[in-house]
Amino acid sequence: MAASSINDPFQNIRPYHDSEVSDALNRLIHDDELISVLTRYQFPRMASVFGWLLKPAVRIFLAQKTGEIETVQQFQTLIAGYMTKMIGRTTTRLSCSGIENLEQDEAYLFVSNHRDIAMDPAFVNWALYQNGFDTLRIAIGDNLLRKPYVSDLMRLNKSFIVNRSAKGREVLTALGQLSAYIDHSLVQDEASVWIAQREGRAKDGNDFTDPAILKMFYMTHRKQRSFSEFLERVKIVPVSISYEYDPCDRAKALELDSKSQGVKYEKSQFEDIDSIVTGITGNKGHVHVAFGDVITDKNTPEELAAEIDRQIIESYYLHPSNLLAAGVDVDNISDEQKALFAARTDGLPESAATILQQMYANPVLNKKKPQEAV
């Protein structure tokens, strides 16, 4: 084990290599919990009564679908087929801007706003894939990987692990390893990386970067190069993802409402997994992915954070849902769109409904702030 760690210092956090794909797929096929989840997803009404009959069929189907897969690229090609269907079923439109300013043969560090656990990097990946770019390596917190099958699926799909559960002295070691791995991906492997601008989703609709994330990027560089030289090396590009409708908006509003009333919010054991499923399967309306410009001229993490925020807020695509929530240009919005947005708050307590509306309004208000300051 020690020898293997020396030869592969990122073994415990990196995505799987092609040589590991077959074993990971074999584990997935024999994971009873995954088979149960897939059965419930595919047959929601029949799974509870006929699960004993359906599960073997689902296992056989999964084995057939993955039987010829030996590489990560082949696995991602399989996923791309399901992604196409998901986009068709859950979005009215998927658009993209700014990608024409990126070079296909460059590796970028994409720092993105964060609204949805799985779909944020998935939509960025899809936009790149459709425009002839290689797929990303995706940073994902270990809090989402409590289930072995989730960890296998994520690492098969080029995700690497951010060790958020580290304590005490382990924290610096984990951050140093993560910083080194991101640099290794960008420079040695020439592979682009996606990471959220802060830990956790922006449940209130305010997209702001945590400078601590940027300090982590710099950890492995600080003894070798200045902050500006580090920026030249890693090519940070802000990305702004906007959803016309957030499938998890009601759950977020109820959580924020509980906290605002001083009620301690206890996250259920598999709440993150439920949020992933809801985000994938729920109606999203129009989704827009906006790629910003490479940042090269900042001298501190705080300056860099401010520039990332500026680009993300400025390029955030405002949907009718955002404009309605903020009371802006409402006369130009159709009655149908007004009714669809009003339905988002049906049955919510008034306080939670107010929070949900504010969640959609904040991107509009944040865009206005720099203009008002000038």
Side-chain angles (χ1 to χ4, degrees):
M1 190 74 181
S4 130
S5 298
I6 291 168
N7 296 332
D8 187 356
F10 310 116
Q11 184 179 37
N12 61 325
I13 65 167
R14 61 162 173 74
Y16 289 145
H17 293 157
D18 287 345
S19 60
E20 298 164 310
V21 167
S22 294
D23 285 346
L25 289 173
N26 191 50
R27 286 194 299 274
L28 290 172
I29 291 165
H30 291 92
D31 191 299
D32 289 334
E33 195 166 358
L34 172 62
I35 299 302
S36 295
V37 168
L38 292 175
T39 304
R40 284 199 306 274
Y41 172 68
Q42 197 67 34
F43 308 101
R45 295 180 182 176
M46 301 168 63
S48 57
V49 178
F50 297 107
W52 61 274
L53 186 62
L54 294 168
K55 283 184 200 174
V58 169
R59 197 186 304 274
I60 290 167
F61 176 79
L62 183 62
Q64 289 173 338
K65 278 287 182 183
T66 60
E68 302 297 318
I69 292 177
E70 296 179 346
T71 67
V72 169
Q73 185 175 2
Q74 288 172 338
F75 180 78
Q76 290 200 312
T77 300
L78 175 67
I79 295 298
Y82 289 102
M83 184 84 178
T84 302
K85 291 177 185 175
M86 182 277 298
I87 290 171
R89 289 172 184 166
T90 71
T91 71
T92 55
R93 182 184 169 205
L94 176 57
S95 56
C96 172
S97 60
I99 200 164
E100 66 278 3
N101 299 321
L102 303 177
E103 302 289 338
Q104 290 184 357
D105 58 352
E106 288 282 5
Y108 298 99
L109 176 49
F110 294 105
V111 180
S112 159
N113 65 336
H114 194 25
R115 300 304 183 83
D116 187 275
I117 295 170
M119 295 316 303
D120 291 350
F123 280 128
V124 174
N125 228 354
W126 186 254
L128 292 167
Y129 178 73
Q130 293 297 311
N131 285 277
F133 289 76
D134 287 338
T135 52
L136 296 154
R137 292 181 181 176
I138 298 164
I140 184 165
D142 61 355
N143 57 303
L144 302 175
L145 306 178
R146 291 172 187 152
K147 296 289 186 183
Y149 73 84
V150 177
S151 181
D152 277 336
L153 283 169
M154 294 296 187
R155 294 178 77 181
L156 279 168
N157 198 35
K158 291 174 73 170
S159 293
F160 60 94
I161 300 168
V162 177
N163 186 355
R164 290 181 180 162
S165 57
K167 303 292 182 189
R169 294 179 182 176
E170 294 177 353
V171 173
L172 276 179
T173 303
L175 290 174
Q177 183 188 36
L178 180 61
S179 178
Y181 179 71
I182 290 171
D183 183 69
H184 176 87
S185 294
L186 295 166
V187 180
Q188 269 71 48
D189 294 344
E190 298 181 339
S192 290
V193 168
W194 178 94
I195 193 166
Q197 67 184 149
R198 70 185 197 196
E199 183 178 329
R201 292 169 290 167
K203 294 174 184 174
D204 59 2
N206 287 315
D207 299 311
F208 295 110
T209 306
D210 182 356
I213 299 279
L214 311 180
K215 290 172 184 175
M216 176 274 291
F217 295 159
Y218 186 50
M219 277 184 75
T220 200
H221 301 269
R222 62 180 183 229
K223 293 181 180 178
Q224 304 167 52
R225 51 188 67 89
S226 69
F227 195 78
S228 57
E229 287 171 337
F230 143 76
L231 279 184
E232 292 279 357
R233 179 180 171 95
V234 300
K235 298 182 179 64
I236 289 176
V237 174
V239 183
S240 187
I241 308 161
S242 57
Y243 298 81
E244 184 174 9
Y245 303 114
D246 179 348
C248 298
D249 54 6
R250 293 168 67 88
K252 291 176 182 177
L254 288 167
E255 177 186 340
L256 292 174
D257 187 36
S258 292
K259 289 178 177 177
S260 71
Q261 296 179 37
V263 178
K264 186 177 181 184
Y265 183 81
E266 294 285 351
K267 187 182 282 192
S268 62
Q269 187 180 4
F270 303 119
E271 188 169 323
D272 287 331
I273 303 299
D274 292 338
S275 295
I276 289 172
V277 173
T278 301
I280 292 170
T281 60
N283 172 41
K284 292 169 269 292
H286 175 198
V287 179
H288 185 79
V289 181
F291 293 92
D293 298 320
V294 178
I295 302 172
T296 57
D297 59 348
K298 303 302 171 187
N299 297 310
T300 67
E302 289 73 23
E303 283 183 19
L304 177 57
E307 175 60 15
I308 291 171
D309 292 349
R310 185 194 69 77
Q311 289 199 34
I312 286 176
I313 290 167
E314 196 173 281
S315 64
Y316 191 99
Y317 184 97
L318 296 177
H319 300 284
S321 53
N322 302 114
L323 301 174
L324 281 166
V328 176
D329 294 334
V330 174
D331 293 340
N332 298 321
I333 297 171
S334 70
D335 290 341
E336 181 186 3
Q337 288 170 319
K338 290 176 183 176
L340 284 170
F341 183 65
R344 307 304 292 184
T345 57
D346 282 353
L348 284 179
E350 186 177 346
S351 53
T354 300
I355 288 171
L356 186 144
Q357 182 166 341
Q358 192 65 40
M359 183 191 306
Y360 282 94
N362 279 335
V364 182
L365 303 177
N366 289 333
K367 267 185 189 281
K368 285 185 170 185
K369 284 176 186 174
Q371 296 171 359
E372 291 169 355
V374 171

